[in-house]
Amino acid sequence: MKSKKYVLFNPGPVHHFFFIPISLLWKILKKNEVILVIDKNYRENPYFLKIKELPGIKEVVFIDEKNSIKNYLKLKKTITKVLSEYSFSEVYTHNPSYVASYVIAFLSKKFQPDAKRIYFQVAREVTSYSSEAEAKLSILVRKFRYKSLPYAV
């Protein structure tokens, strides 16, 4: 049996996570270990708190997705550390025009040139966030054959 590979996954803003990014994550988790690099706002999201406990989520790295020079320097240090700790087969980022995504794309090319980089764009109006998040979580629970996911406040 082939061993799992590491994938760096930066899904973008929390309000987009339960649309395109979660579908990608399901697919990736089937064959890979995932290191999530996400904004600190995810810490407060009760739906995401259930996701981060899934098998295959190796580590969650919280970052600030602010557009500033000071934050760029902090991001550069954090992402360089992540890239030095793991060997990634793929790097997913939601939109390289955002500072955090740009840093991930640029540094992954520099430090891990053999990793495949995949960029995706979430272009959808968010109108039913809560109900859609719940529906997709229930599918995810069935997919991984859990009776339930850890409760999040």
Side-chain angles (χ1 to χ4, degrees):
M1 185 173 134
K2 252 184 165 178
S3 64
K4 289 190 175 189
K5 297 178 182 176
Y6 292 118
V7 172
L8 187 148
F9 192 75
N10 174 243
V14 70
H15 60 275
H16 287 168
F17 183 76
F18 289 98
F19 301 108
I20 302 298
I22 196 168
S23 301
L24 289 172
L25 187 59
W26 291 348
K27 181 180 173 191
I28 295 166
L29 282 171
K30 289 179 182 178
K31 297 180 181 175
N32 304 283
E33 298 273 354
V34 174
I35 289 67
L36 288 171
V37 177
I38 55 178
D39 188 66
K40 289 181 179 178
N41 290 335
Y42 278 80
R43 284 185 179 153
E44 301 162 6
N45 186 291
Y47 303 115
F48 174 74
L49 293 175
K50 296 175 183 181
I51 298 291
K52 76 175 196 168
E53 299 301 324
L54 286 173
I57 304 290
K58 178 80 173 167
E59 183 178 354
V60 178
V61 178
F62 291 101
I63 59 171
D64 279 323
E65 291 205 18
K66 296 178 191 169
N67 293 329
S68 70
I69 295 296
K70 184 178 179 181
N71 192 50
Y72 170 79
L73 297 173
K74 188 190 297 186
L75 282 169
K76 185 177 175 185
K77 183 178 179 180
T78 302
I79 300 305
T80 299
K81 183 177 185 274
V82 170
L83 292 169
S84 68
E85 291 176 357
Y86 298 97
S87 179
F88 295 104
S89 59
E90 297 174 340
V91 175
Y92 285 77
T93 187
H94 72 287
N95 185 343
S97 66
Y98 287 86
V99 173
S101 297
Y102 173 79
V103 171
I104 291 168
F106 175 75
L107 292 176
S108 69
K109 283 182 183 180
K110 180 178 179 181
F111 293 112
Q112 297 197 21
D114 294 335
K116 182 179 179 181
R117 270 157 288 289
I118 297 133
Y119 307 104
F120 61 92
Q121 181 71 43
V122 178
R124 178 165 180 223
E125 184 180 354
V126 179
T127 57
S128 61
Y129 177 77
S130 296
S131 59
E132 188 154 343
E134 281 295 331
K136 289 190 177 181
L137 272 174
S138 110
I139 293 167
L140 190 58
V141 168
R142 285 194 309 268
K143 189 99 173 154
F144 282 91
R145 292 181 175 86
Y146 277 105
K147 291 184 180 163
S148 65
L149 286 171
Y151 177 77
V153 177

